[in-house]
Amino acid sequence: MARVMIFVLNCGSSSVKYRLFDGSSPLASGKVERIGEAGSPIADHEAALEQIARDLRLASLPLEAVGHRVVHGGARFRTPTVIDSDVIDEIRALIPLAPLHNPANLEGIELARRLRPDVPHVAVFDTSFHATLPAAAATYAFDRGLAARYGIRRYGFHGISFSYVARRTATLLDRPVDELNMIVLHLGNGASAAAIQGGRSVETSMGLTPLEGLVMGTRTGDIDPAVAFVLARQGGLSVDDIDALYQHECGLRGLCGDNDMRTVIQRVSAGDPHAQLALDVYCHRIRKYVGAYHAVLGRLDAIVFTAGIGENSADVRAQSLSGLLPMGIAVDPARNAAGRPERVISPDGTPVTAYVVPTDEERAIAEEITTLLAPSARRQVVSSTEKA
Ligand code: ADP
């Protein structure tokens, strides 16, 4: 990265993560959690931002730009975008598709623009990386007119992480990313899989919203759409009740009462059958997607685990990929159990190299903005900032 000072803000519904970069060197980082929760000293996002601004002396830093993670960019935002009032309106219009995420992202943007109105603010979208999905992967088998009217299609998420991890894996393999086929499994509180061909996303498990696909901490992932009809007709639940249930009370939590994978695995070790079933459902779903995405890609060079569970749970990695040797996929128990955070976990000589690669979304955002601010692109950025 060139030496450009960039402040990156990742505003979630109850937390704010930030990182300050000078070129590729992180100068400061931090996280304010439990915003607005009972007993928390931080009442709202504004208080969180003010505290961060004071700690970092944000007003007087020689910043070149502020970067913002935005979860849903819909069909319009395919690249990092300098924020102006039109962009803000568009992100607001996408709130129905990301009700947990886009409002917090917007709040961060508006507060930070007030703190530093003198520099460009750039939105980097989780959906952009999936703009390359082929129509056959992006389209639901659904009424064409309704799909067009409401923008109903697969968008996909975690794109900032997928893009970073794919490039990092290519570096580790010492091959150009555009020659490689890989499956990346981003397993955090939210979880999704992507099939990446030559550096481009060709299939991904999250859809219109971040609810579809893999089992998550509290979200259902894939579920028969008719479950909602049963709940409404027989259980008398409203649309909002079902939405809240699918988002907050399902996934690992619905299966065993705990949404933290560390606790689930401790309970499995103690012989708890509900935790065992939760882990089995979680890993079975991953295995099913690995098989499907292998078929989508044809040839597979690498399979990569990232985010909290992907980086830290040897049990989940081993169970998800067990028995796949006929597909050229295997995990070496010793490599899987321990080693550097970034490492190969497959045995030497297996056709598909399995990796753990820690994700770094804030660094990825800073890198995207540095590219956007490169001298050739800078004139355009300055002129659109002036317009805003
Ligand atoms: P987010 O999606 O909120 O960024 P993270 O990527 O931090 O989430 O992932 C959070 C998940 O990672 C939690 O389910 C947590 O239990 C899990 N996790 C963190 N460390 C471990 C570990 N050592 N073993 C198993 N799971 C872990």
Side-chain angles (χ1 to χ4, degrees):
M1 258 197 269
R3 288 189 73 81
V4 171
M5 192 178 277
I6 294 172
F7 178 62
V8 176
L9 202 55
N10 183 349
C11 256
S13 53
S14 65
S15 72
V16 177
K17 283 193 248 176
Y18 65 89
R19 189 106 63 94
L20 178 66
F21 286 94
D22 185 9
S24 58
S25 318
L27 292 182
S29 64
K31 188 173 184 181
V32 181
E33 289 178 289
R34 303 186 53 232
I35 297 171
E37 288 179 14
S40 163
I42 309 288
D44 52 25
H45 285 81
E46 187 162 3
L49 255 279
E50 276 169 6
Q51 182 187 306
I52 294 166
R54 260 196 317 275
D55 292 351
L56 291 180
R57 297 173 197 273
L58 201 63
S60 57
L61 287 176
L63 292 179
E64 288 268 341
V66 179
H68 297 269
R69 177 184 181 198
V70 178
V71 166
H72 213 312
R76 171 168 163 196
F77 298 112
R78 300 168 77 97
T79 51
T81 304
V82 176
I83 298 168
D84 59 18
S85 50
D86 283 352
V87 172
I88 288 180
D89 289 347
E90 195 87 16
I91 295 171
R92 186 168 289 118
L94 290 163
I95 286 176
L97 301 185
L100 298 183
H101 300 99
N102 274 29
N105 304 156
L106 264 180
E107 214 173 336
I109 290 170
E110 291 183 324
L111 292 167
R113 282 178 103 214
R114 261 186 263 146
L115 287 168
R116 286 303 300 258
D118 55 317
V119 296
H121 287 244
V122 180
V124 181
F125 298 91
D126 265 313
T127 42
S128 297
F129 180 63
H130 303 294
T132 53
L133 286 179
T139 309
Y140 291 115
F142 188 68
D143 180 273
R144 263 193 357 218
L146 287 174
R149 187 179 320 157
Y150 297 111
I152 292 173
R153 49 158 287 176
R154 178 179 308 288
Y155 292 100
F157 298 86
H158 291 137
I160 298 166
S161 173
F162 286 135
S163 156
Y164 175 82
V165 168
R167 281 182 277 119
R168 190 69 210 139
T169 304
T171 306
L172 296 173
L173 277 165
D174 198 18
R175 287 176 59 189
V177 73
D178 54 12
E179 282 178 8
L180 293 169
N181 285 354
M182 59 180 94
I183 296 172
V184 181
L185 298 159
H186 179 112
L187 310 177
N189 283 314
S192 70
I196 301 173
Q197 188 166 51
R200 296 156 67 88
S201 173
V202 293
E203 187 45 289
T204 193
S205 59
M206 283 178 167
L208 174 72
T209 76
L211 195 54
E212 192 181 348
L214 301 180
V215 177
M216 306 184 218
T218 63
R219 289 175 238 164
T220 52
D222 294 336
I223 191 165
D224 185 335
V227 172
F229 314 149
V230 172
L231 293 171
R233 291 189 187 123
Q234 283 171 246
L237 272 68
S238 69
V239 169
D240 287 343
D241 294 338
I242 297 171
D243 191 351
L245 178 76
Y246 281 10
Q247 303 277 2
H248 304 298
E249 302 299 333
C250 293
L252 294 173
R253 176 180 288 166
L255 287 164
C256 73
D258 274 309
N259 60 293
D260 188 308
M261 186 55 90
R262 283 167 291 207
T263 318
V264 174
I265 287 173
Q266 278 163 10
R267 286 175 54 191
V268 169
S269 306
D272 182 316
H274 298 298
Q276 182 68 61
L277 181 61
L279 181 66
D280 291 348
V281 173
Y282 189 91
C283 294
H284 174 80
R285 185 79 53 85
I286 294 173
R287 177 207 298 278
K288 194 164 89 169
Y289 270 92
V290 166
Y293 286 7
H294 198 165
V296 166
L297 290 167
R299 191 198 78 236
L300 182 62
D301 300 300
I303 177 156
V304 193
F305 289 89
T306 195
I309 298 171
E311 291 165 29
N312 295 300
S313 179
D315 294 310
V316 167
R317 293 191 298 260
Q319 187 169 335
S320 304
L321 300 188
S322 70
L324 298 184
L325 194 55
M327 293 166 63
I329 299 170
V331 171
D332 176 90
R335 289 178 174 177
N336 187 35
R340 289 156 40 129
E342 186 177 74
R343 65 189 188 279
V344 171
I345 56 166
S346 48
D348 290 338
T350 13
V352 179
T353 311
Y355 281 99
V356 173
V357 176
T359 193
D360 191 341
E361 286 159 314
E362 285 78 26
R363 178 177 292 278
I365 291 171
E367 285 176 359
E368 297 259 22
I369 294 174
T370 305
T371 307
L372 185 73
L373 295 181
S376 57
R378 193 177 299 236
R379 193 173 316 146
Q380 205 183 333
V381 172
V382 169
S383 70
S384 60
T385 313
E386 279 164 359
K387 259 196 294 171

